[in-house]
Amino acid sequence: MGNVDKNAPVPDGKTEYYTTKQQPADDNGHVGYHTEWVELQKEVPYETPKKP
């Protein structure tokens, strides 16, 4: 491989559906990831239909 710093942060993972971001390591050295989802559908407020 090459000279890779194991403590260097991982770049954000971006897809069409979500983005992942690396969180800081905890006391045991475990690293977590935060996932932000992209809204696929638009929510429209309900409107009551007109009476005939």
Side-chain angles (χ1 to χ4, degrees):
M1 298 264 295
N3 295 332
V4 178
D5 182 12
K6 69 176 185 175
N7 295 324
V10 176
D12 293 348
K14 296 180 183 176
T15 68
E16 182 179 351
Y17 306 107
Y18 59 87
T19 301
T20 57
K21 295 183 180 183
Q22 183 179 358
Q23 296 177 334
D26 62 3
D27 296 335
N28 297 328
H30 298 281
V31 176
Y33 292 89
H34 176 70
T35 304
E36 296 177 2
W37 292 92
V38 175
E39 292 186 26
L40 298 176
Q41 297 178 347
K42 190 176 191 181
E43 187 173 334
V44 178
Y46 177 76
E47 296 177 2
T48 54
K50 292 193 265 184
K51 293 185 178 180

